[in-house]
Amino acid sequence: MKKQVIAVMIGAVGTLASLAHAADTNDESGHAYIGGSIGNAHQQLSINSVKTVQKHRAFNLHGGYQLDQNWGVEAGVVSFGKAEFLKSNDGSLTMDNTAVYAAATARMPLSADFAVFAKGGASVTRHNTTVLGISEPVAEVAEGQPQPAKETSITKEKSTRLSPMVGVGASYNLTKNVALLAEYDYFGKASYKKHFGGKVRADMMSVGVRVSF
């Protein structure tokens, strides 16, 4: 998996370099931008055909370069928040996921201030999973004696997954350099093979602000 992460990073750097070279030959000058957004992340865990969905507050910080009015590149980091699945008297499964992504962007102006856009690329998601098990004590307790505390076990798993990333959205210019954003991003599906079998997928709907300079 480390080799895949390195390959994505090298590919992203190569794409940025080639697109930046293309921007040098374009009639329209480009510009850089930074932005941030807040919204709701939907994380769906599937184990043995049983699906559980959790919604949590999520954050996106990103930066990019608009080569011309239509094409650009972008990279960012997303925190999906901590989701607790399968919570019961027998325990719980908690996931804390963060993704970084690199993508090419396509933008289509619909008016002087309003535009729609799409992006596609790759994301690397870091999954931190904690499985808490709670069970009754095995030993028998004599009548009249206090009940012993329940036994607990904690299993932790950390994994990194590479998956495609796509997104769509719209922007509205408040000023020449400041725009409002609304977007939807999908970060793919990952499979687990260690401490438990299952798949998790994540997406995010958000609103935010972008500043160009």
Side-chain angles (χ1 to χ4, degrees), residues 84-132:
E84 190 170 33
F85 298 95
L86 310 178
K87 185 177 181 180
S88 68
N89 293 332
D90 298 322
S92 63
L93 186 154
T94 303
M95 303 185 73
D96 190 357
N97 302 327
T98 304
V100 294
Y101 69 89
T105 63
R107 176 179 177 273
M108 183 173 68
L110 300 181
S111 70
D113 294 320
F114 183 72
V116 293
F117 60 85
K119 52 188 171 182
S123 66
V124 178
T125 303
R126 180 69 170 176
H127 301 276
N128 296 308
T129 307
T130 302
V131 180
L132 172 65

Side-chain angles (χ1 to χ4, degrees), residues 57-106:
R57 190 73 65 211
F59 304 91
N60 176 323
L61 293 176
H62 62 270
Y65 190 83
Q66 194 68 37
L67 302 173
D68 56 31
Q69 72 170 355
N70 298 119
W71 304 102
V73 291
E74 183 177 295
V77 58
V78 177
S79 173
F80 296 105
K82 184 176 291 186
E84 190 170 33
F85 298 95
L86 310 178
K87 185 177 181 180
S88 68
N89 293 332
D90 298 322
S92 63
L93 186 154
T94 303
M95 303 185 73
D96 190 357
N97 302 327
T98 304
V100 294
Y101 69 89
T105 63

Side-chain angles (χ1 to χ4, degrees), residues 10 13 15 18 24 28-29 35 49 91 100 110 115 118-119 128 130 146 150 153 156 202 213:
I10 293 174
V13 171
T15 300
S18 61
D24 290 338
E28 296 189 35
S29 60
S49 300
V100 294
L110 300 181
K119 52 188 171 182
N128 296 308
T130 302
K150 293 185 177 181
S153 63
K156 294 186 177 182
F213 50 91

Side-chain angles (χ1 to χ4, degrees), residues 165-178:
M165 175 269 180
V166 294
V168 294
S171 64
Y172 181 79
N173 293 333
L174 296 177
T175 69
K176 180 180 178 181
N177 300 105
V178 180

